[in-house]
Amino acid sequence: MKRKFVFTLLYCLLLPLIGFSQNSEVDSLKRELQNHKSRDTTRVNLLYDLAFSLYNKDVDLTNQYIDEGESISEELDYTKGKANILSLKGILESRKSNYKVGLNYFKESLKLFESINDKRGIASSYNSIGVNHLLRSNNNEALNYLEKALKLYQDLGDKEQLVAGYLNIGNIYAKTGAYPKAISYYKKTLKLSKEINHEYGTPYALNGLGHIYSDQGNYHQALEYYHQAYIYKEKLGDTLGMSNALNSLGNNYRSIDKLDKSLEYHKKSIHLAELIEYKDLIAVNKGNIGHIYKEKKAYNKALEYINESLELSREINDLGQITNCLYSIGEINLLLKEPKKARESFEKSIELSLENNNRYSLAVNYLGIAESYYDEDEFQKALSYTLKGKKIADELNLLEGKNKASELLSTIYENLGNYKKALQEHKKFKTLSDSLFSKDNIKKLSELEYEYKYKQALDSANIRELKLTKTVLTTSQDLAKSKRNLFLGVIAFLVSAIILGGIIFSLKLRHQKAKTQNIAIEQKLLRSQMTPHFIFNSLSVLQGMILNKENKKSVFYLSKFSKLLRITLENSRDKLVPLKQELEAVNNYLELQNLEDNQSYNYTILVDKTIDEELFKIPPMLIQPFIENAIEHAFEDRKENRKIDIQLKYIKEELICTIEDNGIGIEAQNSHKRKDKKSLATTITSERLKMLSKDFNINGSVKIEDRKHYNEQGTIVTLVIPYKKDIA
């Protein structure tokens, strides 16, 4: 069973915002500190304010200010000063993913603020404790403390801290899948940030919105938000924010299948995270790199990175990332045909998901366990877990989850002999697959739209550059017109010739690209669906069998029909499939045709011993269109002794497939057809073979002949198929 079901898990919205300060304040604070030399409470407050303003940018200088402030506070027994310093120490420890140490500092700070009834300090401590829990995915505890902090900040009318409060609560809702609430809080953050000219609130809210739009499949909009967020953070010199934005961009590019670009962004993110010793973000990036290698089918490399992420996450007790890593390990073990190992990982992930009330994770892990039991033919157990996962997927409206559940239920019910439910679930699966197909198209269109806008921006820059060049040239001509006319004329001619040549080359390139894209789209459509005529006929035949009460025959026919549809859908998503898999689809197609009462064929599929069907990989749906063509057109005058012979040979490093029939022959077929009617399958396949030949750097062609030229009856199609051969 091929696994098409892949979730892109939300890897921790890393926005550990305790509070913010404006850049303009820093210089002013430094001047005040230089002018105030006395070791009193005023100097302690200045040292704290400076340290707080710089902790995102300069850790060494921050620690220097903290040490001096702590020393003076102890000398003076200044409670508020000691509480502020403890709070900032907690922030720095949390930055290094030492969450337990950080939490202890925050709790000590809270006690001191409570002892002097400092409401602003109490609110700050609540906020800090809430963010600490948020980073460890203790979502319920985080929400409790952050809402307490928000209430106090509202009472105090502190708009700057309200920005941080709105943002952090938005992060919790985003992590738990409550997107409408998350978007509401992010928009509050943006509105208030704009109102008070807040530097940090805007980029982090943009980053959060980017995560949500990415999850919803709107990758173009997500990219816009991520890039805006990165530009803001780069201007602010916010190393952690830049690292987080790069991680987000990496995830988004992986979602649109740009794996190498995604890998580049994640490595840049790790580099910045290492500079500030932020283990949490290092772990997240390593997990995401593992997903990239999984999609490249380098499973051992993927496991290596995900296990590194898991080890680091356990070291810092990041429950959310641990949950994600365990699910990912289970997913890869399913792909490696290790269902028992996979199940162990899914079960551990479920324990943590229940603890954190992460229902999204519960859904995918239940379906993962269902797959592991299915692979072991434990269909009743597989059914139980599939229904659990489906229930949550339906409640959260997870399209991919519902699609996977219906696919599993269809095959499970079929194996349990409940063909009625199998058919019902298969219909749901087909409907959901069509929705996902549309979603994939939207994703691709979003990507193309983004690239088009980027190209427009570049073109605008080029136009401005050309205008500037023209201005410079005009000025130069005015300065020395009499001496340079001839020289400039020659230059103008050469420049014009170069530009004209460039335009002609560009137009040719665009024309060729458009032609290639059109052919690729047509072929995608041909590969991704069975012929409507064939499906209609098959369902009609099935209806006839049911009406005639041919129960066994109708069940067998339905089984073959659904299997053929499934293989066709699976093959349509891959650029290459094993030769064995393609021949299985062909065999199923011919078996179905032979079950109809009004027609039957003697057919053979012969494969030379020199061909290993597992090692040879070919483009899907190359052979079947010609067989379908033979069945529909070759036997108009022949009702008996109808033969179709398929043979594959490997000669001089060419994979050759011949399809022979004993029908009326291609020339007779063409004479019966209207002159303006052409075979779409034959035309597109011929164009496709030309493209594949260039892509694979291997000869590919199709030749159709009438067998009467060899004193025989019928048609022979000779396909030279481009291929790739795995090393045994």
Side-chain angles (χ1 to χ4, degrees):
M1 176 178 175
K2 182 179 172 60
R3 295 173 180 86
K4 307 180 289 297
F5 179 60
V6 179
F7 274 96
T8 304
L9 294 176
L10 180 64
Y11 275 94
C12 193
L13 291 168
L14 289 167
L15 308 177
L17 305 178
I18 311 301
F20 312 103
S21 294
Q22 308 290 330
N23 274 344
S24 56
E25 294 177 4
V26 176
D27 292 336
S28 174
L29 287 169
K30 284 182 178 179
R31 285 193 297 271
E32 285 187 56
L33 186 67
Q34 287 173 350
N35 295 329
H36 193 94
K37 303 296 183 182
S38 302
R39 291 173 64 84
D40 55 13
T41 58
T42 301
R43 185 169 180 83
V44 172
N45 293 337
L46 286 169
L47 288 165
Y48 166 74
D49 288 341
L50 264 172
F52 188 84
S53 300
L54 292 169
Y55 77 86
N56 254 341
K57 303 171 185 177
D58 192 330
V59 176
D60 291 336
L61 193 55
T62 297
N63 284 324
Q64 181 181 325
Y65 290 139
I66 284 174
D67 290 342
E68 186 181 348
E70 187 173 33
S71 173
I72 298 172
S73 295
E74 290 294 336
E75 289 175 13
L76 302 174
D77 194 22
Y78 178 34
T79 302
K80 183 175 179 178
K82 288 190 281 187
N84 281 331
I85 295 298
L86 285 169
S87 177
L88 198 45
K89 280 187 168 184
I91 293 173
L92 293 176
E93 290 300 326
S94 296
R95 278 282 187 268
K96 295 185 283 187
S97 304
N98 298 328
Y99 297 119
K100 287 186 178 178
V101 177
L103 186 60
N104 289 334
Y105 278 127
F106 294 142
K107 286 181 177 179
E108 289 178 35
S109 176
L110 176 60
K111 287 179 183 177
L112 290 174
F113 282 128
E114 287 175 335
S115 71
I116 57 175
N117 196 29
D118 185 333
K119 289 186 177 180
R120 191 175 299 278
I122 293 169
S124 175
S125 296
Y126 283 153
N127 193 62
S128 301
I129 293 169
V131 173
N132 187 283
H133 283 299
L134 169 61
L135 292 171
R136 290 184 292 155
S137 298
N138 296 331
N139 300 320
N140 293 333
E141 284 292 306
L143 189 59
N144 177 38
Y145 277 101
L146 288 171
E147 285 180 338
K148 285 182 181 179
L150 191 66
K151 177 67 170 59
L152 282 173
Y153 285 134
Q154 286 171 338
D155 293 342
L156 292 166
D158 190 333
K159 291 186 176 180
E160 285 201 1
Q161 295 303 326
L162 278 176
V163 169
Y166 288 148
L167 188 52
N168 289 326
I169 291 175
N171 294 338
I172 294 174
Y173 285 127
K175 286 182 71 175
T176 54
Y179 295 142
K181 288 184 179 179
I183 290 171
S184 171
Y185 274 97
Y186 287 144
K187 287 185 175 178
K188 285 181 181 179
T189 306
L190 288 173
K191 183 180 178 183
L192 189 54
S193 297
K194 187 175 181 180
E195 182 184 320
I196 65 173
N197 193 27
H198 201 294
E199 289 181 328
Y200 279 87
T202 298
Y204 279 97
L206 289 170
N207 207 69
L209 286 168
H211 276 291
I212 291 172
Y213 282 110
S214 181
D215 270 6
Q216 293 176 336
N218 191 344
Y219 301 106
H220 161 62
Q221 190 65 55
L223 277 173
E224 290 282 356
Y225 280 125
Y226 288 148
H227 277 296
Q228 288 179 42
Y230 182 80
I231 291 167
Y232 269 103
K233 292 168 184 177
E234 191 174 33
K235 286 179 181 176
L236 294 168
D238 180 1
T239 304
L240 176 62
M242 290 161 63
S243 178
N244 181 49
L246 289 168
N247 173 61
S248 301
L249 284 163
N251 279 338
N252 209 68
Y253 279 114
R254 176 161 60 87
S255 296
I256 57 177
D257 300 324
K258 293 198 170 184
L259 300 182
D260 292 333
K261 197 164 188 176
S262 172
L263 188 61
E264 177 187 338
Y265 276 106
H266 285 304
K267 286 182 176 178
K268 287 179 180 177
S269 179
I270 286 177
H271 173 69
L272 292 179
E274 286 175 340
L275 290 178
I276 55 175
E277 298 179 354
Y278 200 68
K279 294 178 183 178
D280 202 323
L281 195 48
I282 296 169
V284 167
N285 275 285
K286 284 182 180 286
N288 289 332
I289 289 173
H291 272 268
I292 292 171
Y293 282 114
K294 184 195 76 175
E295 291 183 26
K296 286 174 173 274
K297 297 186 178 179
Y299 299 129
N300 290 331
K301 190 88 171 174
L303 281 173
E304 179 185 329
Y305 273 96
I306 292 171
N307 278 314
E308 284 181 18
S309 176
L310 179 61
E311 185 179 346
L312 196 52
S313 300
R314 282 175 171 158
E315 182 183 323
I316 60 179
N317 196 32
D318 184 347
L319 299 181
Q321 184 65 7
I322 294 169
T323 304
N324 294 336
C325 289
L326 289 169
Y327 171 76
S328 300
I329 291 168
E331 203 177 24
I332 293 171
N333 277 316
L334 280 180
L335 294 167
L336 292 172
K337 308 296 184 186
E338 295 280 359
K340 189 175 180 181
K341 285 185 180 178
R343 191 158 56 248
E344 289 172 359
S345 292
F346 291 137
E347 286 169 348
K348 290 175 184 175
S349 184
I350 284 172
E351 288 178 18
L352 293 175
S353 300
L354 288 168
E355 185 178 334
N356 296 321
N357 192 29
N358 190 335
R359 300 180 71 235
Y360 181 99
S361 181
L362 279 175
V364 297
N365 277 291
Y366 283 143
L367 292 173
I369 290 178
E371 276 201 85
S372 73
Y373 279 125
Y374 181 91
D375 288 350
E376 293 177 333
D377 296 335
E378 294 276 358
F379 300 121
Q380 286 292 351
K381 290 181 179 178
L383 177 62
S384 172
Y385 278 97
T386 305
L387 292 172
K388 283 184 179 181
K390 183 178 184 299
K391 185 175 184 292
I392 299 173
D394 287 339
E395 289 170 0
L396 297 180
N397 195 28
L398 302 175
L399 185 59
E400 289 181 326
K402 292 193 287 186
N403 181 60
K404 182 59 185 176
S406 292
E407 182 187 22
L408 275 169
L409 287 171
S410 174
T411 55
I412 291 168
Y413 283 132
E414 183 182 348
N415 281 283
L416 291 174
N418 192 338
Y419 299 108
K420 183 179 179 181
K421 283 192 174 181
L423 182 58
Q424 289 172 349
E425 291 299 333
H426 184 76
K427 287 178 180 177
K428 290 180 186 176
F429 167 64
K430 180 67 171 64
T431 302
L432 289 164
S433 294
D434 290 342
S435 299
L436 284 169
F437 182 73
S438 299
K439 185 179 176 183
D440 287 342
N441 285 340
I442 291 167
K443 177 176 80 171
K444 188 66 179 174
L445 287 171
S446 294
E447 177 190 351
L448 291 172
E449 183 185 356
Y450 180 77
E451 289 178 351
Y452 173 70
K453 283 191 174 182
Y454 181 67
K455 177 74 165 55
Q456 277 189 320
L458 285 179
D459 288 344
S460 297
N462 289 336
I463 289 168
R464 288 195 297 272
E465 186 179 349
L466 284 171
K467 285 181 178 178
L468 181 60
T469 304
K470 186 177 178 181
T471 303
V472 173
L473 273 173
T474 303
T475 305
S476 299
Q477 287 173 340
D478 290 340
L479 290 172
K481 188 173 182 181
S482 60
K483 295 181 180 180
R484 299 186 181 181
N485 274 346
L486 181 60
F487 178 69
L488 291 174
V490 173
I491 288 178
F493 173 78
L494 290 174
V495 169
S496 299
I498 291 168
I499 291 172
L500 184 61
I503 291 170
I504 292 169
F505 176 78
S506 175
L507 289 172
K508 283 185 176 180
L509 189 63
R510 287 183 185 179
H511 176 72
Q512 186 61 37
K513 186 175 180 182
K515 184 179 176 183
T516 302
Q517 285 177 339
N518 286 336
I519 293 166
I521 291 166
E522 288 176 341
Q523 188 58 44
K524 182 74 177 176
L525 291 171
L526 187 68
R527 289 166 53 197
S528 66
Q529 60 184 6
M530 296 294 289
T531 306
H533 177 72
F534 162 67
I535 295 174
F536 177 82
N537 281 351
S538 298
L539 292 174
S540 297
V541 171
L542 180 60
Q543 184 183 32
M545 290 177 180
I546 293 170
L547 291 173
N548 292 331
K549 297 183 179 180
E550 296 173 285
N551 294 335
K552 289 186 179 179
K553 191 174 180 180
S554 63
V555 169
F556 181 76
Y557 190 97
L558 178 60
S559 175
K560 289 290 180 184
F561 181 63
S562 63
K563 188 173 182 181
L564 177 59
L565 283 178
R566 186 164 65 249
I567 291 171
T568 304
L569 285 168
E570 290 173 355
N571 285 0
S572 73
R573 297 190 178 206
D574 294 324
K575 188 176 180 182
L576 290 172
V577 297
L579 178 59
K580 182 177 181 180
Q581 192 169 311
E582 181 71 357
L583 292 178
E584 184 183 357
V586 169
N587 187 61
N588 274 319
Y589 179 81
L590 286 163
E591 279 188 2
L592 268 180
Q593 295 292 342
N594 269 344
L595 285 173
E596 299 185 30
D597 290 332
N598 63 338
Q599 58 183 39
S600 63
Y601 307 86
N602 294 319
Y603 69 90
T604 59
I605 301 176
L606 299 176
V607 182
D608 276 9
K609 292 181 179 179
T610 55
I611 298 173
D612 188 325
E613 294 176 32
E614 295 285 357
L615 296 183
F616 278 80
K617 291 190 174 179
I618 66 169
M621 296 296 287
L622 279 176
I623 301 171
Q624 189 267 347
F626 295 100
I627 296 170
E628 184 178 336
N629 201 52
I631 289 171
E632 288 185 9
H633 304 295
F635 302 107
E636 292 178 359
D637 301 323
R638 181 186 288 271
K639 301 300 179 184
E640 297 178 355
N641 191 28
R642 296 188 281 195
K643 293 174 63 179
I644 298 175
D645 297 316
I646 302 152
Q647 186 171 8
L648 281 103
K649 299 178 181 179
Y650 188 54
I651 303 171
K652 294 182 180 178
E653 296 188 344
E654 285 189 339
L655 183 62
I656 301 170
C657 174
T658 58
I659 304 158
E660 294 184 8
D661 63 65
N662 63 345
I664 62 175
I666 187 66
E667 292 179 5
Q669 289 179 42
N670 290 338
S671 67
H672 292 176
K673 293 180 184 177
R674 294 196 338 247
K675 290 182 180 179
D676 60 338
K677 186 175 179 181
K678 296 181 180 179
S679 169
L680 179 63
T682 303
T683 304
I684 293 178
T685 303
S686 300
E687 292 289 346
R688 185 181 174 205
L689 281 167
K690 289 179 185 177
M691 291 165 53
L692 291 167
S693 298
K694 293 178 183 177
D695 192 19
F696 287 54
N697 199 23
I698 294 177
N699 182 39
S701 62
V702 58
K703 183 179 180 184
I704 304 175
E705 300 172 280
D706 200 305
R707 293 176 67 190
K708 73 180 183 180
H709 299 304
Y710 303 98
N711 298 320
E712 296 173 347
Q713 184 175 352
T715 303
I716 179 169
V717 178
T718 305
L719 277 170
V720 179
I721 303 175
Y723 66 91
K724 286 190 178 179
K725 188 177 179 183
D726 290 342
I727 299 172

